Amino acid sequence: MNEKKKSDLAVLLDYAGSYKGLTFLGLGLSGAAMVLGMLPYICIWLVMRDLIAAAPDWMKAVGIARYGWMAFGFAVAGIAVYFAALMCTHLAAFRTASNIRKQGMEHLMKTPLGFFDSNASGLIRNRLDGAASETETLLAHNLADIVGSAAMVLSMIVLMFVFDWRMGAACLLAAVVSIAAMFTMMGGKNARLMAEYQAAQDVMSKAGTEYVRGIPVVKVFQQTVYSFRAFKQAIEDYSAKAEHYQGDVCQLPQSVNLTFTEGAFIFLVPVVLFMAPGALKTGNFTGFVTDFAFYAVFSAIVSTALARIMFAASGTMQASTALRRIDQVMSAPVLRITDHPQKPEDNSVEFKDVTFTYEGSKIPALDHVSFRTEPGQTVALVGPSGGGKTTAASLIPRFWDVSSGSVLVGGVDVRETDPHVLMDQVAFVFQNDRLFKASILENVRAARPDASRDEVREALSAAQCDDILQKLPDGMDTVIGTEGTYLSGGEQQRVALARAILKNAPIVVLDEATAFADPENEALIQKAFAALMKGRTVIMIAHRLSTVVGADKIIVLDSGHVVEEGTHTQLVSAGGLYARIWADYNQAVTWRI
Ligand code: ADP
Ligand code: MG
């Protein structure tokens, strides 16, 4: 990438798409509005000039009504144009935010499913949503204010020097001092302090979230908030940093800044006193007084302009952090989709010398793993926890793509298959399959949206869910997750199995959940498994070895390696790792009985 890094603003405006022009129009109008807003001050000067010239015979100042109306007209026009400006920037900002959301979601649809494993999808969506709306403030308000303030400052500078440059310079000096004070707070060494202070705030809010998540643990173990050291530490760190930055660093410059923005007038007085004798001599004392009156009124708006700029500047900082978050989403890896998909030839599944390492991990989770499942066969993956079983299963639907080697379904590399075809051919039941907050019917039908009610009922029945339907108030139409309709872990798994049965895919990948305590559920789940596996190619990860005994082939995975391979009888007599696991399992079962 030798392309120069685009500025945040350019990136944002690119998201605006066809509404980019509207942003510029809005900004132009905002500048014009500010200039219009300055014109009444000239009218005030004209009024004062006429009044002072006519004094004490006030009636002679006939022009002042006209100036009054002009001032009023300019002020109204300024407001109207500003309103139009905000209309434009808001329209563009809303479009930009919605484009960001749309493009972000489109991008996320292309990322491998595994990405959501390590990044909860709700969190990503919230982050994208939050960041998108934060850019709204920048585009709709801050930018318009920055351009407006710039126009204001420019016309202010012009106005300052139009009437009397010495008095103008005095007002300007006040502005310069307060800007300088503002920059000492944010620049140089203090910039680092400010960044640290903001980072501490970030850490604290993250620790707060962790704390809220951990409340159940706190309650169960009768702990107090003090047990959350990280949170306590984060709060203390933040308060120390905040105190140091705001107290030690900002106190003086902020006082100076406020004094000079609010009291620009102070500079004006000595200058005027100094100039007064000279003005008296020239004889144009009335002009001098008019100018003084003008600058006295005018100096008050300097502070408004500066406050606006400061506010807008903080808005751009916020927008740039928002953009960074959006960028994180947009730079998530995408699943490469082939342009020339090949059709799977049969229902076999094969791992050919597969190595896979999780991002950020040093040791491969799977290390040169090879095995093959013939069509209609059942292959079981067993082995100690962390051996790589779930990882192997996840590579089949491309939750992740292999680091090297290949995973073949129907003789075709999954990366060379049309993802839709792959998903049609393979049904997955994973340990953490979640049911949506919808009716059971909808939950099961998610596998095949065109399935009829009867087909869904049959699938539920095959998955041994009849007892669940009977106890629910509206049977299949009961929305689960609502009051009084929670399903136990085992029940949820049976509904998930019904979903896989309805899908009727020729290949099934099963990551069996760790044993559920009650034996009744266990027996039902076994039956549901049997219904799902019948006549299909099955890759299963079984924790109850009783399910494994009948498998055509057992692959024993340990630390990412295939350490043994064979049928149950072969492996038991071989006396290796499997035989040991089997012995342990039997002992555990005996103990339970
Ligand atoms: P099993 O299912 O056999 O218990 P896994 O496939 O879940 O084993 O894990 C294999 C290895 O990969 C383990 O060392 C585990 O810590 C690691 N691992 C699993 N999931 C992830 C992940 N999302 N990110 C990083 N490492 C992971
Ligand atoms: Mg696992």
Side-chain angles (χ1 to χ4, degrees):
M1 267 229 282
N2 50 9
E3 188 185 333
K4 217 175 105 197
K5 197 185 168 294
K6 276 188 176 175
S7 76
D8 289 348
L9 192 59
V11 174
L12 254 187
L13 287 177
D14 279 347
Y15 282 117
S18 56
Y19 278 55
K20 203 169 173 172
L22 207 56
T23 305
F24 289 123
L25 178 63
L27 297 184
L29 287 176
S30 164
M34 285 305 148
V35 174
L36 280 173
M38 287 290 173
L39 294 179
Y41 288 95
I42 296 189
C43 298
I44 291 173
W45 182 82
L46 289 169
V47 168
M48 287 193 282
R49 188 195 58 185
D50 283 11
L51 278 177
I52 292 172
D57 193 358
W58 307 111
M59 297 311 278
K60 272 207 287 188
V62 284
I64 60 167
R66 193 159 55 93
Y67 295 137
W69 282 113
M70 272 165 63
F72 178 71
F74 286 132
V76 170
I79 292 169
V81 173
Y82 186 59
F83 187 77
L86 286 188
M87 279 284 271
C88 296
T89 55
H90 272 84
L91 282 176
F94 291 148
R95 175 53 65 102
T96 305
S98 89
N99 281 349
I100 288 174
R101 290 191 182 104
K102 242 191 260 165
Q103 289 178 27
M105 284 328 254
E106 269 166 25
H107 185 88
L108 286 178
M109 296 303 275
K110 290 187 226 146
T111 59
L113 283 168
F115 178 74
F116 296 98
D117 243 24
S118 35
N119 303 272
S121 58
L123 204 70
I124 299 174
R125 223 206 52 230
N126 280 345
R127 210 191 286 166
L128 188 65
D129 233 32
S133 33
E134 272 166 41
T135 66
E136 244 168 57
T137 323
L138 174 77
L139 284 180
H141 292 280
N142 297 150
L143 269 190
D145 283 351
I146 289 173
V147 172
S149 308
M152 193 172 178
V153 168
L154 274 182
S155 40
M156 223 162 66
I157 292 174
V158 170
L159 274 186
M160 274 176 176
F161 293 100
V162 161
F163 301 110
D164 187 314
W165 70 268
R166 288 157 301 190
M167 294 189 209
C171 291
L172 199 62
L173 189 62
V176 168
V177 170
S178 73
I179 289 176
M182 208 160 86
F183 275 106
T184 58
M185 285 191 285
M186 301 198 281
K189 178 171 71 90
N190 292 337
R192 204 196 66 227
L193 284 175
M194 185 169 74
E196 275 174 14
Y197 152 64
Q198 281 168 344
Q201 188 171 17
D202 238 31
V203 168
M204 181 176 68
S205 82
K206 278 193 194 120
T209 315
E210 274 314 303
Y211 169 65
V212 171
R213 275 207 204 124
I215 281 180
V217 181
V218 173
K219 287 196 136 171
V220 167
F221 291 102
Q222 298 285 307
Q223 307 268 336
T224 64
V225 63
Y226 294 104
S227 61
F228 270 79
R229 285 252 203 77
F231 189 32
K232 186 162 168 284
Q233 185 67 45
I235 294 175
E236 280 168 1
D237 192 41
Y238 169 74
S239 75
K241 291 235 164 71
E243 212 167 296
H244 175 58
Y245 181 68
Q246 302 201 321
D248 304 342
V249 178
C250 293
Q251 204 169 32
L252 183 69
Q254 179 68 351
S255 319
V256 172
N257 175 30
L258 281 181
T259 312
F260 286 97
T261 43
E262 303 298 329
F265 193 69
I266 296 168
F267 275 96
L268 200 53
V269 175
V271 172
V272 168
L273 287 179
F274 183 73
M275 285 165 60
L280 268 176
K281 256 185 242 154
T282 60
N284 184 15
F285 195 64
T286 50
F288 175 72
V289 172
T290 313
D291 288 347
F292 172 56
F294 170 77
Y295 284 108
V297 173
F298 191 72
S299 67
I301 67 164
V302 174
S303 63
T304 328
L306 292 180
R308 251 172 192 283
I309 291 179
M310 212 160 125
F311 188 71
S314 76
T316 56
M317 272 200 302
Q318 207 183 25
S320 88
T321 57
L323 265 181
R324 241 174 291 143
R325 279 187 285 160
I326 293 169
D327 205 45
Q328 272 176 6
V329 172
M330 297 295 185
S331 60
V334 294
L335 206 59
R336 196 182 54 79
I337 289 168
T338 174
D339 294 327
H340 307 286
Q342 287 168 270
K343 277 213 155 52
E345 285 150 18
D346 55 28
N347 297 325
S348 65
V349 176
E350 184 169 6
F351 275 57
K352 260 195 187 155
D353 202 28
V354 170
T355 297
F356 175 73
T357 312
Y358 283 101
E359 208 183 290
S361 166
K362 288 199 189 73
I363 330 153
L366 292 178
D367 200 356
H368 300 285
V369 169
S370 301
F371 64 86
R372 184 178 160 84
T373 317
E374 299 300 336
Q377 270 194 347
T378 295
V379 163
L381 304 179
V382 297
S385 175
K389 305 179 292 291
T390 302
T391 305
S394 318
L395 294 180
I396 302 171
R398 296 185 75 191
F399 266 51
W400 317 100
D401 274 339
V402 296
S403 309
S404 72
S406 51
V407 175
L408 309 167
V409 169
V412 178
D413 192 318
V414 287
R415 288 168 296 183
E416 302 302 326
T417 316
D418 177 346
H420 295 288
V421 173
L422 181 66
M423 288 303 176
D424 278 347
Q425 203 179 12
V426 190
F428 304 93
V429 182
F430 280 109
Q431 277 176 1
N432 52 356
D433 263 343
R434 290 266 170 272
L435 300 182
F436 324 118
K437 196 169 175 173
S439 69
I440 294 204
L441 176 75
E442 296 305 325
N443 260 294
V444 175
R445 195 140 68 179
R448 193 151 64 80
D450 60 339
S452 70
R453 275 181 82 87
D454 282 337
E455 285 171 313
V456 173
R457 198 187 306 279
E458 271 169 38
L460 280 164
S461 194
Q464 311 295 313
C465 296
D466 292 328
D467 64 323
I468 303 174
L469 297 187
Q470 261 160 33
K471 75 173 185 195
L472 290 177
D474 302 319
M476 219 160 51
D477 297 307
T478 310
V479 174
I480 45 183
T482 54
E483 216 174 319
T485 56
Y486 291 97
L487 299 183
S488 75
E491 289 168 337
Q492 286 188 30
Q493 203 185 17
R494 277 185 273 149
V495 175
L497 284 171
R499 191 193 273 166
I501 289 174
L502 182 72
K503 184 163 177 183
N504 199 17
I507 301 173
V508 176
V509 178
L510 262 177
D511 194 351
E512 179 200 42
T514 31
F516 291 108
D518 61 308
E520 194 182 330
N521 227 330
E522 185 152 346
L524 290 173
I525 288 175
Q526 292 301 340
K527 272 195 191 165
F529 271 154
L532 176 60
M533 287 159 63
K534 207 166 129 204
R536 297 190 168 100
T537 308
V538 179
I539 305 230
M540 82 173 161
I541 299 167
H543 297 275
R544 304 175 197 78
L545 290 191
S546 56
T547 335
V548 172
V549 175
D552 297 295
K553 203 191 305 178
I554 297 167
I555 310 287
V556 186
L557 277 176
D558 188 13
S559 311
H561 300 272
V562 177
V563 290
E564 282 182 300
E565 175 171 356
T567 62
H568 173 74
T569 345
Q570 286 167 351
L571 291 178
V572 168
S573 55
L577 179 59
Y578 182 81
R580 279 203 301 283
I581 298 175
W582 174 247
D584 286 350
Y585 173 76
N586 277 323
Q587 196 158 39
V589 171
T590 336
W591 277 352
R592 211 164 48 184
I593 297 164

